[in-house]
Amino acid sequence: MGGAPSGPAPSGRRHGGAWRAECHGIPAHCGLFRPPRVHPGPGAGEEDAADALRIVRGARARRAVGLADSQGYESFIQYVQEAERLDFRSVFMVEHHFTGQGQVSASLTLLAYLAAKTSRIRLGTAVVVLPWHNPVLIAEQAATLDLLSGGRFDFGVGKGYRAAEFDGFCIPPEEASERFDEAIAVIRRAWTSEERFSHHGRRWHFEDVVVEPAPVQRPHPPLWLAAGSGESIRRAARDGFNLLLDQLASVEQITERVAIFRAECTRVGRAYDGSMVAVARALQMVRSEEERAAAYETRRRVVGVIGDLHKGRKAASIEEDDAPLLGTPAEIVERVRRLAAGGVETILLVDPNASIANLRAFAAEVMPAFGPSHAVAAA
């Protein structure tokens, strides 16, 4: 039965190579900027790192009135358009379901709209949770987005980790890995096969299908995998994925993970480039000690909610946590320099408020520290 699930019910770029910056979410991760080369990106759970910085509000038991959601999306679209004007390079969208908090559920649909509203900024997912989706339909939708955007799509994928989503889709969490593996195999085949093909797997069956349209980027859009453990990072390197690292890990841990990915690329004969790794970082710019205290409190609440997703050593206190880009513009510049020294070339900025003022401040007061001359000196 074509397309029928066989298991349970399916569930700134500153030109010249010096810089790039990206966005993600509603809120988004924004700012693909390079300190020698830096881009912003998502992560956590392992895949919710970019999405993680979100002030927790009471979940709604019912949907919001349409106007409220409409205004939220309109504000975010303006945010992305401003990011493009400021030479941020990418926007990455999360995917979540059943939260009652208005989180993005149809990321590819929103990105298709953004493709028509922008002309240069790259459009990515961080991530599409493959166990929820029919892989052939996702391949068609993602290829259409790549076509409509003129080849600006980045395809970030993950297995999922939220228990409420597995419960909502009636999918046992222990099936996540096998469903992910089968889905990504079908999607890759759909994008690279020059002929019709059939697939008969454990979860999905397709007979004599061809995916249309073909993506503009060949053989397919860049693939990104959210990973945190050593083995998952090595898998990303072996299987041809770019790597998304989370916003909770310390600079030391990020440096170690970049080294693991690079070493595994070398071991398997895959050419390594620093732009293949993106690290999510929360952006909390402050101008006074009062604002710093408020930023620490925000960080404390966030870590209290999502800290159990963190893999590895944790900071002894919020004040000693060097993961977020928290501080004055000068302090943030120094934190970015530490990431750059550890091999990070792409930072995904996680802004809990999708603040245009924060974007402008970052572009004006942080990005200039990493201009072309610095990039050459740091190379």
Side-chain angles (χ1 to χ4, degrees):
M1 295 182 290
S6 54
S11 55
R13 171 155 88 187
R14 196 168 293 278
H15 299 290
W19 261 102
R20 295 182 274 186
E22 304 184 11
C23 314
H24 184 91
I26 283 192
H29 302 267
C30 240
L32 181 162
F33 86 94
R34 298 180 101 163
R37 304 169 240 181
V38 182
H39 302 230
E46 297 169 341
E47 58 245 13
D48 219 18
D51 163 55
L53 186 64
R54 181 171 272 110
I55 306 299
V56 178
R57 303 177 179 87
R60 300 192 302 245
R62 308 171 76 177
R63 285 193 301 272
V65 177
L67 178 60
D69 279 345
S70 175
Q71 290 172 337
Y73 277 85
E74 184 60 34
S75 295
F76 178 68
I77 290 159
Q78 293 170 3
Y79 177 75
V80 173
Q81 291 174 314
E82 181 65 13
E84 181 175 71
R85 283 191 288 270
L86 293 169
D87 286 336
F88 284 76
R89 184 174 182 265
S90 303
V91 56
F92 279 84
M93 303 302 306
V94 300
E95 176 196 354
H96 285 301
H97 304 272
F98 322 133
T99 66
Q101 296 175 11
Q103 291 190 302
V104 173
S105 59
S107 55
L108 294 177
T109 302
L110 181 52
L111 288 173
Y113 187 82
L114 286 170
K117 292 289 187 176
T118 58
S119 60
R120 292 179 290 106
I121 197 166
R122 291 190 64 83
L123 308 167
T125 55
V127 293
V128 169
V129 182
L130 293 185
W132 310 155
H133 298 286
N134 179 314
V136 163
L137 293 180
I138 285 291
E140 291 173 336
Q141 292 165 19
T144 300
L145 174 54
D146 197 47
L147 176 67
L148 292 174
S149 66
R152 290 186 283 143
F153 180 54
D154 285 279
F155 190 46
V157 294
K159 295 183 293 186
Y161 69 94
R162 291 188 176 183
E165 292 177 322
F166 282 99
D167 291 345
F169 284 115
C170 299
I171 293 178
E174 56 270 22
E175 294 179 4
S177 291
E178 71 170 68
R179 286 176 176 272
F180 175 90
D181 291 343
E182 182 174 355
I184 195 64
V186 170
I187 290 168
R188 278 180 150 149
R189 188 173 183 187
W191 282 343
T192 58
S193 178
E194 296 183 359
E195 301 175 344
R196 290 180 174 272
F197 70 94
S198 298
H199 170 88
H200 298 286
R202 183 169 182 179
R203 302 294 172 186
W204 295 99
H205 295 281
F206 304 98
E207 188 66 42
D208 193 31
V209 298
V210 59
V211 165
E212 298 170 315
V216 171
Q217 299 174 94
R218 304 302 296 163
H220 49 67
L223 301 176
W224 293 82
L225 182 68
S229 67
E231 182 48 43
S232 62
I233 291 169
R234 293 184 185 95
R235 176 193 174 168
R238 288 193 303 270
D239 291 354
F241 290 96
N242 293 341
L243 177 65
L244 293 169
L245 294 174
D246 70 86
Q247 69 143 311
L248 297 172
S250 69
V251 173
E252 180 182 5
Q253 291 166 336
I254 291 296
T255 300
E256 292 170 355
R257 292 169 187 178
V258 172
I260 290 171
F261 183 77
R262 183 170 191 162
E264 187 67 7
C265 284
T266 300
R267 190 187 71 81
V268 299
R270 180 182 176 192
Y272 175 82
D273 182 275
S275 63
M276 292 156 54
V277 180
V279 179
R281 299 284 90 168
L283 176 62
Q284 294 176 270
M285 193 175 293
V286 303
R287 306 286 182 176
S288 68
E289 288 310 305
E290 290 77 10
E291 290 183 358
R292 187 185 302 274
Y296 282 147
E297 185 56 34
T298 294
R299 184 68 178 174
R300 186 173 288 108
R301 290 199 301 271
V302 169
V303 172
V305 172
I306 64 169
D308 58 341
L309 301 176
H310 181 51
K311 298 179 183 297
R313 303 175 299 279
K314 296 183 180 180
S317 68
I318 291 296
E319 292 76 10
E320 296 176 34
D321 182 3
D322 68 355
L325 299 182
L326 189 158
T328 64
E331 290 169 336
I332 289 173
V333 167
E334 289 308 309
R335 292 200 176 198
V336 171
R337 284 185 172 140
R338 288 186 60 207
L339 289 167
V344 174
E345 298 189 5
T346 300
I347 296 176
L348 300 174
L349 301 181
V350 186
D351 185 347
N353 301 311
S355 165
I356 287 178
N358 281 348
L359 278 185
R360 290 172 178 165
F362 191 89
E365 300 180 65
V366 177
M367 287 168 63
F370 304 99
S373 61
H374 182 90
V376 173

